[in-house]
Amino acid sequence: MYTLYGNKVSGNSYKARLTCELLNIEYQWIEIDILTQENRQAGFLQINPLGQVPVLLITPDNLAANSEPTLILESNAIIRYLAEGSALIPNSAIDYARMWQWLLYEQGEVRPNIASVRFIRKFQNMIPSRLEEYQQKFDKSNDVLSYLNQQLEGKAYILGDNVSLADISLYAYTHNAEEGGLDLSPYQDLLNWFKRIESLPNFVRL
């Protein structure tokens, strides 16, 4: 059995939940309240000493006989494991490498910027101590959105005609960028891409 420890407002947690739903994978969800720092309490730190969500717990039902429960950390590693053997993983070596290119871009550019401005604006109410950081990441976020919009021009999905884990990962923090004060209206290819993902069978919202 799969157990997902996550948070309902976390884009990283959402990636794992959305992947499970799209692939009809049964799982148990355990909510960890990061806004009250439940993820920093001793109980959760025994599960993940880094204090981060999501965490995927794989119990012996999903493993070989006599195996011990296994934990997988990091959202993109989790969705890669969950999607094994599915159409969300490209068959060709080139497209597989390009998928990982976008998964790494998401963690290196999308999450640190777009997720940060969303968190500062929506959950920290623009606290003065983070206003300078907010503006810097706001400007960078627009660069990221513009780049993604360019890359999606003439494409159904980020790799081409077929949806992949790269789309799931990139979608998690870009689709709600307006919660960080960003204007998505100039990015029509990005907006059309959102609609295609939201039309996938079994799609669930954050």
Side-chain angles (χ1 to χ4, degrees):
M1 179 175 179
Y2 295 130
T3 301
L4 273 172
Y5 296 84
N7 179 262
K8 62 185 178 183
V9 302
S10 158
N12 279 330
S13 298
Y14 175 55
K15 294 178 206 172
R17 184 164 64 93
L18 179 56
T19 300
C20 283
E21 295 292 341
L22 292 176
L23 296 176
N24 287 309
I25 295 172
E26 293 186 10
Y27 64 99
Q28 178 187 11
W29 177 267
I30 296 181
E31 179 73 10
I32 303 297
D33 191 345
I34 60 176
L35 298 179
T36 61
Q37 296 195 326
E38 183 182 359
N39 55 311
R40 298 296 178 183
Q41 301 303 311
F44 184 72
L45 291 175
Q46 289 181 345
I47 298 169
N48 182 3
L50 297 175
Q52 298 171 347
V53 291
V55 174
L56 177 66
L57 171 64
I58 310 170
T59 53
D61 286 348
N62 298 103
L63 297 168
N66 302 318
S67 296
E68 294 294 325
T70 298
L71 292 172
I72 299 180
L73 314 180
E74 301 295 337
S75 59
N76 287 336
I78 289 170
I79 64 175
R80 171 59 186 87
Y81 172 83
L82 291 170
E84 175 66 21
S86 78
L88 292 178
I89 298 178
N91 290 322
S92 79
I94 290 176
D95 282 344
Y96 183 77
R98 290 175 62 229
M99 179 192 79
W100 270 108
Q101 169 191 312
W102 285 111
L103 293 177
L104 293 170
Y105 178 82
E106 186 274 334
Q107 283 293 283
E109 299 291 338
V110 177
R111 189 204 58 76
N113 293 294
I114 296 176
S116 293
V117 298
R118 173 179 178 252
F119 190 81
I120 294 169
R121 186 173 188 265
K122 182 171 183 177
F123 300 108
Q124 294 189 318
N125 297 312
M126 301 292 284
I127 57 173
S129 62
R130 299 195 72 182
L131 288 181
E132 182 178 354
E133 177 190 358
Y134 174 86
Q135 189 57 56
Q136 292 172 348
K137 290 182 180 293
F138 182 91
D139 294 340
K140 181 61 177 176
S141 293
N142 274 312
D143 292 340
V144 169
L145 292 170
S146 178
Y147 177 67
L148 288 172
N149 192 66
Q150 292 170 8
Q151 294 299 307
L152 284 162
E153 184 177 359
K155 297 179 184 176
Y157 299 102
I158 198 67
L159 297 184
D161 293 334
N162 299 313
V163 65
S164 72
L165 287 181
D167 298 284
I168 305 307
S169 183
L170 291 167
Y171 175 83
Y173 280 116
T174 54
H175 78 283
N176 56 6
E178 290 176 329
E179 293 182 353
L182 294 155
D183 180 11
L184 291 173
S185 62
Y187 309 117
Q188 192 58 52
D189 289 299
L190 194 67
L191 293 172
N192 291 338
W193 173 69
F194 292 163
K195 292 177 182 178
R196 283 189 285 274
I197 292 176
E198 290 160 7
S199 297
L200 293 171
N202 302 322
F203 172 83
V204 292
R205 296 192 177 277
L206 178 63

